[in-house]
Amino acid sequence: MRVVLQRVSAAQVTVDDAIVSSIGQGLLVLIGIGHQDDEAVATTMAKRIASMRVFSDPEGKMNLSVTDIGGEVLVVSQFTLLADVKQGRRPSFMGAAAPDVAERLIEAFASALEEAGLAVGRGVFGAHMQVSLTNDGPVTIVVDGVAGSTPHGREHYP
């Protein structure tokens, strides 16, 4: 799983010239699901994103989470985050999960954010979407996770 989160003052998704979802202050989360990912990975990653301290406290330090500020989250599927560009000039997407699996896990991710008390908007899975945002900072963070891994020597995931 690869997640790109952007701290935003506003973001929206448009499909066929119609706004399908929009948020105010919060996080735009672009998410790509890989073959190795499962529901446990999706819910664990959602909990991590909900508590990630990327918003400024009164002293200007990034000490507050989207949950702390009462922000919103916009979740958008983006399988292209799993592109492999090691060979040739055309990206390979062989590492991306099958659409039915990815859609189910993205919904599990979004639902876990809602269970954490967040207002969650969603893109339209498989649609050609126009995503617009006002990046606040700018703050953009990439979070990678692989089921069963122990990144940076930690004993838990992610």
Side-chain angles (χ1 to χ4, degrees):
M1 177 178 294
R2 176 166 291 149
V3 171
V4 174
L5 64 92
Q6 296 182 300
R7 186 176 75 182
V8 298
S9 54
Q12 72 179 23
V13 174
T14 304
V15 176
D16 295 330
D17 296 322
I19 297 171
V20 295
S21 192
S22 64
I23 64 167
Q25 183 181 27
L27 296 173
L28 170 63
V29 177
L30 306 173
I31 181 170
I33 304 294
H35 293 294
Q36 72 282 5
D37 297 323
D38 58 22
E39 192 164 327
V41 171
T43 56
T44 300
M45 184 70 85
K47 290 175 187 174
R48 183 169 186 183
I49 298 301
S51 63
M52 193 169 291
R53 298 184 307 171
V54 297
F55 291 89
S56 299
D57 65 15
E59 287 81 43
K61 299 196 185 306
M62 287 200 294
N63 279 326
L64 302 174
S65 70
V66 67
T67 304
D68 294 333
I69 67 157
E72 301 171 286
V73 181
L74 179 55
V75 176
V76 177
S77 170
Q78 190 170 349
F79 77 94
T80 60
L81 291 174
L82 296 166
D84 181 350
V85 294
K86 292 177 188 161
Q87 294 182 352
R89 295 176 298 172
R90 182 176 178 198
S92 168
F93 301 105
M94 297 300 294
D100 60 326
V101 172
E103 185 173 20
R104 179 176 51 82
L105 294 180
I106 289 168
E107 183 54 36
F109 176 87
S111 293
L113 289 170
E114 289 173 330
E115 290 171 14
L118 293 164
V120 178
R122 293 163 172 80
V124 177
F125 187 88
H128 183 90
M129 296 176 273
Q130 303 293 317
V131 180
S132 61
L133 68 134
T134 303
N135 194 312
D136 178 23
V139 173
T140 301
I141 298 173
V142 178
V143 184
D144 284 321
V146 178
S149 71
T150 54
H152 309 292
R154 294 186 200 141
E155 296 302 317
H156 65 281
Y157 172 81

